[in-house]
Every structure is written in structure tokens, then in C-alpha cells.
């Protein structure tokens, strides 16, 4: 949809926890803990009174089964106004962007004036699913008043005892069984993206992220987080300033014997949270806040996951531009989620392809080539990490800050997600 011209939602501020590798510093902090930390930090940074927050929209992928509506748990944990509404959205890796655009739409419809949106995920605290065979046999015992014979019946149902242990979780398509890394390998082959190009892209991501950290570029958005163990985490933990194409070239392929996708040119499993403060423009100015950016448009699309499950941004990005009445030449920054270097480079190849434009976009010519100088200017998920639900909100925050700081006008965002989803948005400086 395109945003309303009469009542505009604006991004006032955004913060995030440092992103760290799963099973390290945030091991004792689940998705709700991380969300609480990000929202509390956002309120502290902005000085916004708790009572002013009217609603929260939160994105997540690995939702805690005991309390899946993380948004409402945030409001309760932080003792916001009891009437602060909260709902949680999940759209795989686009969940964070979905949360932010959902909040923007609600504000522009006049439902609220002040909202917080964002996302979090803790791979470290992903729940291991019991086999349904075990659940079906054990549920009557747990939920009823079993007699001795009921236990014998349950044991009998489990025989033969070949499938009662939990299975190792994997990031794969439910419909096809294809693991995401395998999808990236397929795309690399289709679009002619070689190993050297992927490693060069990954090295650049790390170098740009390291430069952003060292320059203080992330100071406005990254919080200090004190873990339950008392450790203070002050910066992203996955960025490797000293990596190089030569070092990355020594890593073995992970998903195919003679493949190109490695641990070095793929996003790692990550824990973290991001939060964004949105208001109606009139409310923001009345409260004395200087808006950073607003959405000109956004677009969510789906493609057949049996084809190229991560190619969605090559459709959603042009559609977002069309809805904004813009072309690629009007864009100052492009920020694409780096699930894999192979996937990002494949999206770039599709956007530059006349054939892709004709067969998938109903256009006569390519969308255009994206200058590396304006692409992911402060790195991306390969270097910073990818807490699934948090990445979209991170991208919105970083680009809103960069537009305001650099006095540029427009940023185009693109995110691929499981299920063949593509998510994009056009941000404009206010």
C-alpha cells in the first residue's frame, strides 16, 4: 500500500540490542527478555513517558509457546499503561518490517498516535519439539486422571520405540524440505554467482559494519545490555574487522560438496532485538520530537518456494518503487537483508536483468543496476547477524538515522523470507 498524504506516521527513534551469536552472551535471555530490554532502552533514550505508549506491535519467528503474544508481555513487564494494546506478527524474516509497517498503517488510519514496533528472536532459547507420537500418547496422562492401565496403554502406543526422541531443528521449508542454504546454492547457480563474488561481498559487509561501529555511526541505535550474569554487552559481537577475501576463501562449503555457500558468506544464528518509536507527525511535533523518516510505500509479495524461495525482493522492491512513484534512480540508499551473500547477489542480478523484468515484472527493461557504493552502506546480516524477527526493524532504524544524518532523501529496503516471501519499503526523510 501507499501511505496516506493527509495523516502521516513518522519514525521518531529506534534502538536495538547489540546482536550476538546464539548460545553466547544472551543465553539466559529469551525473546521476551530481549524485547523488554530494547523497548525499555527506547523509552529511556527518548524520555517518552510510559503512559504515552498506546499500542505495541512486535515481530517474532521463534515464539515462546507459553506466551506467544510478545507485544502484550512487553507492556505488562514494563508496566506501561494497562490499556496499552499489544499484538504480535510473524512473517518469517520479514516479521520486524511487518511489525513496523503495521504500526505505521494503524497510525495513518487514526487508530493511535504513539506506537512502538519491532521484533526479537532468541535462537538460544528455541524450544525443542517433541514428536507428535509422544505427545499423543502422553497427553491423556498429563491432562486427565490416569489409572495404571492407562500407563500401559500409553507405552503400547509408543511401540516400536523408533521415533520418540526430539528431532534436531533445522531452517527448512515445510512444503519442500529444502534448507535455506540449499536454496541459496540453487540461486547462485541460476544467476551465475560464484564463490569469489560471495566472499568479496561478505568481506565488504564486515568491513563496512566495523567502520560504522568505530565511527560511532551506531551509537544512536545500539544499547548497552546487562545480562543476567552481570556482563555488559556494548557492541555487536559478530563483526570481524580483520576478515578478508583470502581468509573467507579457506572455509569449506556447508550445504553442497562442491558448493559456494560457507559459514563466512552466510548470516549466522543470532540473538537480539530492535524497537522503533512511531507517531503521527502532528503528535511528534507537539511532543517536541524531530521526525527522522516516514514510509512512502511498502510491498509484500510471495513466490513459489519450489522455484527460488529467497528471490522475493527482486519483485517486492520494484513494486514498492512503483507504489511510491519512483524509480531506482531516485534512491539514495539501498538496504537488502543479507541472509546469504549468494541470495543478495542473486537479487541484484535479477534487478539488473531484462529477462527477469519481462518474465516476472511485466516490464520491457530491467529495474537497474545498484551501485555498490549505496548498497548496505553499514554492512548487513552477514556481518551484523540476523535475529530473525529483529532484522527488519534494525534496517528501518539504521536507514532512518542515515537519511537524517546524511541529509539524503530516499532509502529502499528489501528482505527475503521463508515461504517465498519478499518484503520491501521506501523510506523518505522528513
Amino acid at each position: 500500500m501507499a501511505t496516506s498524504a493527509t495523516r502521516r506516521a513518522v519514525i521518531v527513534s529506534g534502538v536495538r540490542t547489540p546482536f550476538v551469536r546464539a548460545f553466547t552472551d544472551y543465553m539466559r535471555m529469551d525473546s521476551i527478555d530481549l524485547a523488554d530490554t530494547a523497548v525499555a532502552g527506547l523509552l529511556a533514550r527518548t524520555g517518552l513517558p510510559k503512559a504515552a505508549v498506546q499500542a505495541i506491535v512486535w515481530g517474532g519467528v521463534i515464539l515462546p509457546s507459553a506466551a506467544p503474544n510478545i507485544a502484550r508481555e512487553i507492556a505488562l513487564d514494563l508496566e506501561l499503561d494497562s490499556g496499552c494494546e499489544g499484538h504480535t506478527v510473524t512473517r518469517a524474516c520479514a516479521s520486524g518490517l511487518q511489525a513496523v509497517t503495521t504500526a505505521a498503517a494503524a497510525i495513518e488510519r487514526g487508530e493511535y498516535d504513539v506506537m512502538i514496533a519491532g521484533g526479537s528472536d532468541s535462537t538460544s532459547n528455541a524450544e525443542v519439539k517433541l514428536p507428535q507420537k509422544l505427545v499423543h500418547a502422553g497427553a491423556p496422562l498429563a491432562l486427565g486422571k490416569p489409572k495404571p492401565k492407562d500407563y500401559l496403554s500409553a507405552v503400547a502406543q509408543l511401540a516400536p520405540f523408533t521415533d520418540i526422541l526430539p528431532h534436531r531443528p533445522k531452517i527448512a521449508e515445510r512444503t519442500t524440505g529444502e534448507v535455506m542454504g540449499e536454496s541459496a546454492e540453487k540461486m547462485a547457480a541460476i544467476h551465475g554467482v560464484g564463490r569469489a563474488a560471495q566472499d568479496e561481498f561478505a568481506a565488504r559487509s564486515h568491513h563496512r559494519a566495523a567502520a560504522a561501529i568505530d565511527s560511532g555511526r551506531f551509537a544512536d541505535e545500539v544499547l548497552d545490555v546487562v545480562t543476567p550474569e552481570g556482563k555488559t554487552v556494548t557492541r555487536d559481537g559478530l563483526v570481524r574487522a580483520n576478515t578478508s577475501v583470502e581468509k573467507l576463501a579457506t572455509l569449506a562449503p556447508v550445504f553442497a560438496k562442491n558448493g559456494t555457500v560457507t559459514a563466512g558468506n552466510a548470516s549466522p544464528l543470532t540473538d537480539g532485538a530492535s524497537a522503533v518509536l512511531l507517531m503521527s507527525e502532528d503528535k511528534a511535533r507537539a511532543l517536541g520530537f524531530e521526525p527522522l523518516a516516514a514510509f512512502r510505500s511498502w510491498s509484500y509479495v510471495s513466490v513459489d518456494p519450489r522455484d527460488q524461495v529467497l528471490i522475493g525482493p527482486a519483485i517486492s522492491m520494484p513494486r514498492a518503487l512503483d507504489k511510491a512513484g519512483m524509480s531506482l534512480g531516485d534512491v539514495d540508499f539501498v538496504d537488502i537483508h543479507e541472509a546469504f551473500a549468494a541470495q543478495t547477489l542473486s537479487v541484484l542480478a535479477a534487478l539488473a536483468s531484462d529477462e527477469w523484468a519481462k518474465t516476472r515484472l511485466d516490464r520491457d527493461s530491467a529495474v537497474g543496476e545498484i551501485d555498490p557504493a549505496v548498497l548496505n552502506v553499514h554492512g548487513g546480516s552477514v556481518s551484523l547477524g540476523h535475529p530473525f524477527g529483529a532484522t527488519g526493524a534494525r534496517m528501518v532504524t539504521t536507514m532512518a538515522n542515515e537519511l537524517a544524518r546524511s541529509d539524503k532523501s530516499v532509502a529502499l529496503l528489501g528482505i527475503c523470507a521463508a515461504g517465498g516471501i519478499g518484503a520491501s519499503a521506501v523510506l523518505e526523510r522528513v
Side-chain angles (χ1 to χ4, degrees), residues 201-288:
F201 182 91
R204 185 170 68 219
S205 181
H206 280 280
H207 295 159
R208 288 184 173 180
I213 293 170
D214 291 343
S215 69
R217 217 62 169 187
F218 289 156
D220 290 343
E221 66 185 75
V222 177
L223 303 165
D224 291 348
V225 174
V226 179
T227 70
E229 297 86 353
K231 179 177 180 178
T232 301
V233 183
T234 61
R235 55 191 287 157
D236 298 305
L238 290 148
V239 179
R240 299 188 300 277
N242 62 350
T243 196
S244 65
V245 173
E246 292 74 23
K247 289 180 179 179
L248 292 170
T250 65
L251 300 176
V254 176
F255 300 99
K257 184 177 180 181
N258 297 312
T260 59
V261 178
T262 72
N265 57 38
S267 59
L269 294 176
T270 313
D271 297 340
S274 304
V276 179
L277 176 60
L278 299 100
M279 298 182 185
S280 63
E281 186 168 8
D282 289 346
K283 186 68 170 181
R285 297 194 186 281
L287 293 177

Side-chain angles (χ1 to χ4, degrees), residues 45-324:
R45 285 274 180 98
T46 59
L48 184 73
K50 291 182 178 182
V53 183
Q54 297 170 303
I56 298 175
V57 186
W58 206 254
V61 177
I62 309 172
L63 300 177
S65 60
N69 187 6
I70 297 176
R72 182 56 178 158
E73 301 304 323
I74 297 168
L76 294 172
D77 286 351
L78 300 185
E79 298 181 334
L80 304 186
D81 185 90
S82 59
C84 179
E85 184 271 318
H87 72 276
T88 298
V89 298
T90 184
R91 198 194 273 266
C93 298
S95 298
L97 183 61
Q98 178 66 74
V100 178
T101 57
T102 296
I107 289 172
E108 290 177 349
R109 285 194 303 266
E111 295 181 25
Y112 306 103
D113 280 313
V114 180
M115 297 182 71
I116 289 176
S120 60
D121 262 305
S122 172
T123 308
S124 300
N125 288 281
E127 298 172 9
V128 177
K129 187 177 184 296
L130 290 175
Q132 289 303 108
K133 182 178 181 181
L134 191 60
V135 173
H136 293 160
L141 304 180
L143 301 177
K145 296 180 179 179
K147 298 177 181 179
K149 66 177 183 179
D150 295 324
Y151 290 97
L152 294 175
S153 174
V155 172
Q157 290 181 53
L158 295 176
F161 304 96
T162 55
D163 191 30
I164 62 172
L165 294 177
H167 296 291
R168 177 183 178 184
K170 58 181 181 179
I171 303 173
E173 285 294 304
R174 173 185 168 274
T175 53
T176 65
E178 186 175 75
V179 175
M180 288 297 170
E182 295 169 346
S183 305
E185 286 284 11
K186 180 198 290 187
M187 292 172 67
I190 290 172
H191 296 277
V193 177
R195 169 69 183 271
Q198 293 176 49
D199 288 346
E200 180 182 357
F201 182 91
R204 185 170 68 219
S205 181
H206 280 280
H207 295 159
R208 288 184 173 180
I213 293 170
D214 291 343
S215 69
R217 217 62 169 187
F218 289 156
D220 290 343
E221 66 185 75
V222 177
L223 303 165
D224 291 348
V225 174
V226 179
T227 70
E229 297 86 353
K231 179 177 180 178
T232 301
V233 183
T234 61
R235 55 191 287 157
D236 298 305
L238 290 148
V239 179
R240 299 188 300 277
N242 62 350
T243 196
S244 65
V245 173
E246 292 74 23
K247 289 180 179 179
L248 292 170
T250 65
L251 300 176
V254 176
F255 300 99
K257 184 177 180 181
N258 297 312
T260 59
V261 178
T262 72
N265 57 38
S267 59
L269 294 176
T270 313
D271 297 340
S274 304
V276 179
L277 176 60
L278 299 100
M279 298 182 185
S280 63
E281 186 168 8
D282 289 346
K283 186 68 170 181
R285 297 194 186 281
L287 293 177
F289 289 102
E290 187 64 34
L292 299 172
F295 287 102
R296 183 74 174 260
S297 67
W298 57 75
S299 174
Y300 294 93
V301 306
S302 292
V303 301
D304 187 344
R306 295 169 296 182
D307 178 25
Q308 301 179 63
V309 73
L310 304 177
I311 200 65
I315 298 175
S316 62
M317 291 169 72
R319 288 191 181 178
L321 286 172
D322 287 346
K323 291 178 179 182

